Amino acid sequence: QPELPRAWLLGAGQFGLGGLLIGRMGYLAVAQNEHYNLLAESNRVSMTMIPPRRGWIVDRHGQPIASNRTDFRVDVIPDRLEDPERVLAHLKGLLSLTDEDLERIRLDLKRAPGFRPVEIAENIDWERFAAVQVRQPELPGVQPTRGFARHYPAGAAVAHLIGYVGAATAEQYKKTRDPLYVTPGFKLGKDGLEKTMEPLLRGTAGAKRVEVTARGKLVKELATRPDVPGRTLRLTIDAGLQEYAARRLGTNSGSAVVFDCQNGEMLAMVSMPAYDPNSFSEGISQLEWKMLSADDHVPLMNKVTQGLYPPGSTVKPMNGLALLAAGVRPDERVFCSGAMRVGNGVFHCHKRHGHGPLDLKNAIMQSCDIYFYEMVRRVGYDRIAPVARALGLGQKFDLPFATQRYGTVPDSAWKRRKYHTDWKVADSLNASIGQGYVLANPLQLAVMAARMASGRNLMPTIIRDPFKPQAEALPIDAEHFRLIREAMNGVVNGGGTGGAARMQVPGVGLAAKTGTAQVRRITMAERRSGVLSNGQLPFKLRDHALFVCFAPYDNPRYAAAIVLEHNGHTIRNLDTPMIGRDIMTYLFDRERAMKSLAEVEPTWGGDITTRMDAQRAAYRAAHAPAPPVASDEEDTPASRAPAVEAATAASNATAEAEARDTAAGDGVARTGSPEPETEAERRAAPIPPPPATGAQ
């Protein structure tokens, strides 16, 4: 009998254990079925990402500014390679690979999972792609692929507007752990609109599914999920005008911005010289990076948003608006003898022997310094600064550019905060001619021109928005705007300083204001002995040349600003009035504008591409290529390159030196603005010399 309870207990235990096992198996088979199916599938199936096609960037008319072209590339699947060294040797001959390329490929093969493609070459021509494709049976593991690569039809003309794309860095992958970042052929925005609009342009990656063993050995390919292209970004830019303005700037280091006065849409935003975004997107060489960094015209810098300049005499019409608002009568005259004594100091006009008696209109037309010294001294610069801000100087605009500098509109409160001292009369005199503490970028100057032309608080936009509300009128008397527009018309068409800008389009009058900004200190001793001309000075010491304009002057539709660094008015067809005239002519008579460009462009060494090719060839001949090494600089966005930082530091140093002179009661007003006196002087400027080999 004792064995019966023992047998019963043993049977009950076995039954209970069996029940637990059956229950667990049922739970795993039913409740956890999906979970373990997914785990099994992930062990069996691996996915290779397919880079998405980036959305196009198009102009206001739908013309592509950044598009996608077919990209022929060759990858290898490590698991399919039977004799890696034999295959690589064969590919070296077919694709003209260098020893450095082979070392990079071997390293990538060691690091990559067996089923993930490793890049051999990209952006190859059809002949080499076809040569690999027909030999594919004898090259197991080699995978010729047709993909897509970014293409910028206008090249350097849109570099600082659009930016460029490039491969993700190791740091970017570590930060996101996104497998797309290490997929051959994937590129993301590195600078400009390509970077700031990345979420919209990127699209959604596709996936190629492959069946693998537990050790990652490829078994077979499964269904492919297609990529979803990014969205198209439509800009307000006119691609034709953008390219024309870039070409018309010629060999200058400068910028041009054009606005539609009806709605504030930006039609062109050009900074030249520039780099070729196609080269950057394909992977720029160290030699080309060094060449661009060493160029004193700073092609890596977007001068429209990063350049700060004394606006010079371009602010005189704006100052005139402020004077009218402060109660100055437009017919009130000031006698200009060429100099004006204030306290112990003497402040000069750019015209040594003076202009005689001038009212506001003629003071703007002749760019008389003495008139503005006297009138601004009377009302005080604190009455001028609010109008300057209302017209856009010192203002921050909501635009998709990562790097912007905003300049300075000074007043007594600003000086007290910054320098802990009171505003002086000399500060007002220097500011009245757009020097001293006053700084602006070309974008702000173009906004100033557009607001003076329209009388409205236009806000600049670069992304097309058909529902953008109409800008409100500025709180400035409409009659005052009319008087200033008449004066600016006289600058060009009434014997003023901008006669070279007179347009040849019937019925279209251009209104403008010229400006020159001094970048070096001129001592009184030099003034007595004779101020050196810009042609006698090295490039970096020459004056900046500036120009703001709008047309037609009596019913403005378009406005523009041109700023040329260290231009010095040395070559007439490369000076601001003729450049401004031709850019505005393009908007009214394209054929006439193109004809004008065709006459002068050959004298500068050809078009942009021709000059850049010559510069690269000359630099390559003078500098032996360095051995390839890893470099952080090659992945530095162009707008933040060390060369740009150095140029910015130099600009800041110049501004600080000018501020110190102004604070000491000195400054440019002591010698007068360096504005050219008459159109006759401009005509006497020298004929451009033959271009040097490799000139930008």
Side-chain angles (χ1 to χ4, degrees):
Q1 281 197 342
E3 285 80 5
L4 186 60
R6 188 179 305 153
W8 184 86
L9 288 174
L10 184 60
Q14 289 174 338
F15 180 79
L17 182 60
L20 287 174
L21 290 173
I22 292 170
R24 178 62 176 167
M25 290 175 66
Y27 173 76
L28 292 176
V30 180
Q32 295 290 298
N33 179 61
E34 184 177 357
H35 172 69
Y36 285 101
N37 270 339
L38 289 175
L39 286 179
E41 181 74 5
S42 67
N43 284 331
R44 185 181 71 87
V45 177
S46 291
M47 288 197 304
T48 299
M49 308 292 286
I50 299 175
R53 288 161 286 175
R54 289 182 73 80
W56 284 26
I57 301 176
V58 301
D59 80 342
R60 63 192 300 110
H61 307 299
Q63 182 176 337
I65 298 177
S67 59
N68 301 319
R69 60 170 174 78
T70 301
D71 172 31
F72 297 111
R73 58 183 299 111
V74 175
D75 300 324
V76 296
I77 310 298
D79 264 354
R80 293 184 177 179
L81 283 175
E82 296 177 359
D83 186 350
E85 288 305 317
R86 181 188 68 81
V87 171
L88 290 181
H90 207 153
L91 290 176
K92 179 180 181 181
L94 292 174
L95 300 174
S96 303
L97 301 176
T98 65
D99 292 337
E100 289 77 14
D101 292 332
L102 293 177
E103 288 302 315
R104 189 267 305 167
I105 294 166
R106 290 188 182 101
L107 186 61
D108 289 347
L109 286 171
K110 289 180 181 178
R111 295 175 176 173
F115 55 86
R116 179 171 293 161
V118 169
E119 177 189 308
I120 299 296
E122 64 175 346
N123 295 324
I124 61 176
D125 54 50
W126 167 252
E127 287 74 16
R128 288 188 290 172
F129 178 80
V132 174
Q133 198 168 38
V134 298
R135 291 170 176 81
Q136 201 169 358
E138 59 193 83
L139 296 173
V142 175
Q143 182 175 278
T145 306
R146 295 188 188 195
F148 295 92
R150 207 58 161 164
H151 178 56
Y152 306 94
V158 299
H160 291 295
L161 169 69
I162 300 299
Y164 57 94
V165 298
T169 63
E171 289 72 21
Q172 288 172 318
Y173 173 68
K174 289 176 183 176
K175 184 177 180 180
T176 63
R177 292 295 174 182
D178 187 341
L180 182 60
Y181 280 35
V182 291
T183 301
F186 172 72
K187 293 183 178 179
L188 71 167
K190 293 285 187 174
D191 209 357
L193 292 176
E194 290 278 27
K195 182 176 182 179
T196 56
M197 303 305 294
E198 174 72 17
L200 180 137
L201 294 169
R202 180 182 296 186
T204 304
K208 181 185 293 183
R209 300 168 68 243
V210 293
E211 186 175 346
V212 295
T213 65
R215 295 187 178 183
K217 188 72 175 177
L218 182 65
V219 176
K220 66 178 179 179
E221 295 185 1
L222 303 176
T224 296
R225 186 185 72 210
D227 66 298
V228 178
R231 293 172 57 192
T232 297
L233 177 65
R234 184 180 288 269
L235 305 182
T236 62
I237 296 294
D238 182 323
L241 177 65
Q242 176 80 15
E243 187 170 0
Y244 181 86
R247 292 174 64 185
R248 189 57 188 86
L249 287 176
T251 57
N252 280 298
S253 172
S255 55
V257 184
V258 184
F259 279 112
D260 186 329
C261 293
Q262 293 183 339
N263 49 30
E265 291 183 344
M266 195 182 300
L267 302 178
M269 192 203 84
V270 179
S271 176
M272 294 300 289
Y275 55 88
D276 184 352
N278 293 299
S279 295
F280 269 62
S281 297
E282 293 168 7
I284 188 173
S285 68
Q286 282 190 315
L287 188 70
E288 187 171 358
W289 176 267
K290 289 179 179 178
M291 179 193 73
L292 293 169
S293 297
D295 192 329
D296 62 1
H297 284 37
V298 202
L300 296 173
M301 183 177 189
N302 182 354
K303 299 174 180 69
V304 172
T305 58
Q306 293 178 278
L308 286 181
Y309 312 91
S313 296
T314 60
V315 299
K316 287 175 179 174
M318 179 194 70
N319 291 349
L321 274 176
L323 292 174
L324 291 170
V328 173
R329 298 193 318 276
D331 59 350
E332 188 173 354
R333 296 189 174 191
V334 169
F335 185 84
C336 171
S337 64
M340 169 182 167
R341 180 173 291 277
V342 177
N344 296 324
V346 177
F347 298 85
H348 292 267
C349 184
H350 69 85
K351 189 168 184 179
R352 192 165 193 149
H353 301 296
H355 292 96
L358 293 171
D359 59 10
L360 175 60
K361 178 180 179 180
N362 282 282
I364 291 173
M365 287 171 52
Q366 303 302 324
S367 200
C368 177
D369 295 330
I370 299 298
Y371 178 93
F372 287 96
Y373 292 160
E374 174 59 25
M375 288 303 188
V376 173
R377 183 189 65 81
R378 289 184 195 178
V379 305
Y381 196 77
D382 280 2
R383 303 287 292 276
I384 308 295
V387 176
R389 297 188 186 102
L391 290 181
L393 298 197
Q395 188 171 353
K396 299 179 180 180
F397 303 113
D398 184 19
L399 291 170
F401 298 110
T403 50
Q404 295 185 60
R405 301 173 72 206
Y406 303 105
T408 304
V409 177
D411 57 19
S412 57
W414 171 88
K415 187 179 180 185
R416 201 170 294 113
R417 286 195 307 271
K418 185 170 178 66
Y419 293 105
H420 309 291
T421 185
D422 292 332
W423 188 266
K424 299 177 182 177
V425 173
D427 299 334
S428 292
L429 271 55
N430 280 290
S432 73
I433 60 171
Q435 297 256 183
Y437 301 119
V438 185
L439 290 171
N441 65 36
L443 175 63
Q444 292 167 339
L445 294 177
V447 171
M448 177 184 74
R451 290 182 180 177
M452 283 194 295
S454 66
R456 292 185 294 175
N457 188 33
L458 294 174
M459 298 301 294
T461 53
I462 197 168
I463 297 175
R464 198 75 191 273
D465 179 8
F467 305 106
K468 180 182 178 181
Q470 186 175 13
E472 297 180 355
L474 288 163
I476 298 174
D477 193 323
E479 176 63 14
H480 294 172
F481 276 120
R482 188 192 67 78
L483 291 169
I484 295 303
R485 291 184 199 119
E486 287 288 344
M488 293 178 71
N489 176 53
V491 169
V492 177
N493 305 300
T497 58
R502 187 176 292 110
M503 290 179 67
Q504 304 301 312
V505 180
V508 179
L510 180 71
K513 183 68 192 79
T514 56
T516 311
Q518 186 177 299
V519 297
R520 70 186 185 98
R521 185 177 183 183
I522 299 176
T523 64
M524 294 308 294
E526 183 183 343
R527 182 173 176 84
R528 285 191 295 269
S529 62
V531 177
L532 294 174
S533 68
N534 280 284
Q536 298 172 290
L537 295 169
F539 172 72
K540 285 292 186 180
L541 294 182
R542 296 175 187 171
D543 300 328
H544 298 320
L546 306 96
F547 191 76
V548 296
C549 61
F550 51 83
Y553 90 90
D554 52 350
N555 185 24
R557 176 63 197 276
Y558 304 110
I562 295 103
V563 178
L564 306 179
E565 293 183 336
H566 310 294
N567 170 273
H569 308 293
T570 52
I571 298 175
R572 191 167 183 264
N573 65 25
L574 285 171
D575 201 359
T576 50
M578 294 186 74
I579 292 174
R581 177 202 69 184
D582 285 353
I583 289 175
M584 296 300 277
T585 297
Y586 182 93
L587 292 161
F588 295 97
D589 188 338
R590 186 170 305 186
E591 184 177 346
R592 186 187 297 270
M594 295 303 296
K595 181 180 178 182
S596 177
L597 177 62
E599 291 172 354
V600 294
E601 194 170 45
T603 69
W604 309 328
D607 62 16
I608 297 170
T609 302
T610 302
R611 296 198 308 271
M612 290 180 71
D613 288 344
Q615 184 189 30
R616 275 192 292 267
Y619 192 87
R620 192 177 296 112
H623 301 80
V629 293
S631 171
D632 291 336
E633 289 185 354
E634 291 179 15
D635 196 62
T636 302
S639 59
R640 295 181 179 175
V644 176
E645 297 295 329
T648 300
S651 173
N652 290 341
T654 300
E656 284 299 320
E658 172 65 14
R660 287 194 297 271
D661 284 350
T662 301
D666 205 341
V668 174
R670 285 282 193 169
T671 56
S673 68
E675 186 79 1
E677 293 183 9
T678 64
E679 173 60 13
E681 285 192 2
R682 294 185 190 274
R683 290 183 180 277
I687 301 297
T693 302
Q696 178 77 357

